[in-house]
Amino acid sequence: MTVKTMHTADVKDLLEKVAGFNQEGGNERVKKIVHRLMHDIFQIVEDFDVTAEEFWQAVYYVGDLGKNGEAALLAPGLGMDKYLDIRMDAEDEQAGLAGGTPRTIEGPLYVAGAPMSEGFARMDDGSDESAETMILTGQVTDENGQPVANAVVDVWHANTMGNYSYFDQSQTDYNLRRRIKTDENGRYTARSIIPAGYGCPPEGSTQALLNLLGRHGNRPAHIHFFIAKPGYKHLTTQINLAGDEYTYDDFAFATREELVVEANRIEDPAKAEQFGLNKPFTEVEFNIQLVATDKPELQSRHERKRALEGEAA
Ligand code: BEZ
Ligand code: FE
């Protein structure tokens, strides 16, 4: 039986009391948002005739999501991170700060305080001898194409199993995570290994919901970047390697055409030798253009909970 109660005085009164409208204390913005949120949830219950069984299933789903530590994994899967990027792009446009290398989502797997080096870093610990060696290199410039020296390029990526150090405790500390300061020509170079794409834990809460939506939980092989330099807009971005099954089908919606990068196999022993290698390797080039700003609040990454943030050196 379908009943309609949202229009009644009882429900309106209930929602106002739920949101603390009749109380002096608290935070006005939170009250308004909770009022809207609970109104919209009530409305969904009415419109879809949600049963008590379905409702309690959803409540315990949220509990399990928290217990599994997967809330920040479900969010990108439901397009939230992408939506926030769309809003930030629109804000930049409005403020005349559009342009440069596009942003894309950070994801939940950053760890603060990776070792810092100048110009070059080796990112892998050498333990995966069967991995393909990657030379990742590029130049950071401003909008006029002038090199930006001393920019901090903070790079992180997964191993050949799609797993990230720190979250995967079988890896050494800060494996595949480094901060590299650009040299006087704005250049950075990293020696690392070609990563594999990430997949959501198959038995986890995120994958359980994705299954109900008929969706997979996979990301293409990708490499994350934060790029920071005083006087420029902080950039959070990542590149997706071309040719991966999921390059244009990322469950976290991070792919942008400008951020799809070819990985080139280099067989020339002379070129390998330049990097101290005695076997073929794969080169990935990612040049980054920063946008100048004098607004200090745009020059550093926005706050969110991140592993070891505020703790690491
Ligand atoms: C990642 O960066 O690998 C990632 C991003 C969003 C959700 C899960 C993983
Ligand atoms: Fe990632």
Side-chain angles (χ1 to χ4, degrees), residues 108-241:
L109 302 169
Y110 177 73
V111 178
M116 180 86 89
S117 54
E118 313 263 336
F120 174 86
R122 172 133 186 211
M123 297 180 67
D124 67 301
D125 63 9
S127 60
D128 191 344
E129 286 172 14
S130 61
E132 171 78 359
T133 300
M134 171 174 76
I135 298 293
L136 170 67
T137 187
Q139 188 185 30
V140 180
T141 58
D142 65 15
E143 286 183 287
N144 302 314
Q146 293 304 306
V148 177
N150 284 319
V152 176
V153 181
D154 196 339
V155 190
W156 70 104
H157 66 81
N159 66 5
T160 53
M161 311 285 284
N163 296 328
Y164 286 80
S165 64
Y166 181 89
F167 303 96
D168 167 15
Q169 294 185 347
S170 74
Q171 295 185 48
T172 52
D173 288 352
Y174 290 111
N175 190 34
L176 312 178
R177 301 177 183 277
R178 288 294 182 275
R179 287 179 291 168
I180 308 170
K181 264 194 198 159
T182 54
D183 66 15
E184 66 277 14
N185 299 313
R187 296 205 63 89
Y188 71 94
T189 303
R191 172 179 164 179
S192 194
I193 56 173
I194 290 284
Y198 170 92
C200 290
E203 305 305 326
S205 303
T206 303
Q207 191 58 57
L209 181 59
L210 293 172
N211 289 344
L212 289 172
L213 302 177
R215 291 178 49 199
H216 67 75
N218 297 309
R219 304 209 57 214
H222 63 277
I223 301 163
H224 296 264
F225 295 81
F226 283 152
I227 302 102
K229 160 96 187 181
Y232 296 89
K233 241 180 11 164
H234 178 272
L235 178 63
T236 299
T237 195
Q238 58 182 276
I239 50 175
N240 288 346
L241 300 186

